[in-house]
Amino acid sequence: MNEFSILITLATVHFIALMSPGPDFALVVQNATRYGRQTGVYIALGLSFGILLHAILSLTGVSYLVHQQPTLFALVQIAGGSYLLYLGFGALKGTWQTLSSKNVVSEQQSSPDLLLSNKRQAFSRGFATNILNPKALVFFISLMSTLVPASMSLTGKGIALVILWSLSLAWFSFLAWALSTERLQAKLKSLAVYIDGLCGLIFTIIGVSILWQSVMSLS
């Protein structure tokens, strides 16, 4: 298989994986529907850089070394699972407070200062959600070891990294854009609290699953 075929296969497999529901997908859906396009795009940017770092660590063998050390990998799982639980409990708590409140206060428009702060927060949350996900670490180890041979040229590996990053940014940005159009926002406004709850449930379930796996691996 020549390098062009390898890159096409890599792009196809990665794009299919991107469309699969998971923490990254849920994070974009949750925040783009509630806070709008700009926040969703900055989360997409953070997620794409997390994916880029995972790809670099996999290509250089760092991720493989982490995966081969049971204790170290369990610590990564604990950190990732705990972070997802933090996101999940936060979303579920907010959902419960909103639904149990007798007077639901409508969302206020963000001021420029808050918007600037949200850009940094959105990027950081996207990056942390992806880079702390141990399932992403395992996925990229499998992806790179299977599709990217050690004999591949540096140029080919560089193009592979650009493809993984650009596809991730394009997909999550498109998702953020699609969910924040004016017409869809009007429809989703009344459902925002339920979307928060559903995404919180997804984060919680995945977080508990990861923590359980880490406990079992150490026992």
Side-chain angles (χ1 to χ4, degrees), residues 124-135:
S124 299
R125 179 154 294 187
F127 182 79
T129 299
N130 184 269
I131 201 63
L132 290 176
N133 185 358
K135 294 184 180 295

Side-chain angles (χ1 to χ4, degrees), residues 80-150:
S82 298
Y83 184 72
L84 289 177
L85 275 180
Y86 164 74
L87 294 181
F89 285 153
L92 291 174
K93 180 181 178 182
T95 300
W96 174 257
Q97 289 176 340
T98 301
L99 292 176
S100 61
S101 174
K102 293 182 179 179
N103 299 313
V104 179
V105 181
S106 61
E107 294 182 61
Q108 298 177 344
Q109 295 293 327
S110 299
S111 68
D113 291 340
L114 288 176
L115 189 60
L116 178 63
S117 176
N118 284 339
K119 290 178 183 179
R120 292 192 296 267
Q121 292 172 2
F123 178 87
S124 299
R125 179 154 294 187
F127 182 79
T129 299
N130 184 269
I131 201 63
L132 290 176
N133 185 358
K135 294 184 180 295
L137 182 146
V138 175
F139 170 75
F140 280 101
I141 291 174
S142 302
L143 185 68
M144 294 302 187
S145 62
T146 303
L147 295 179
V148 180

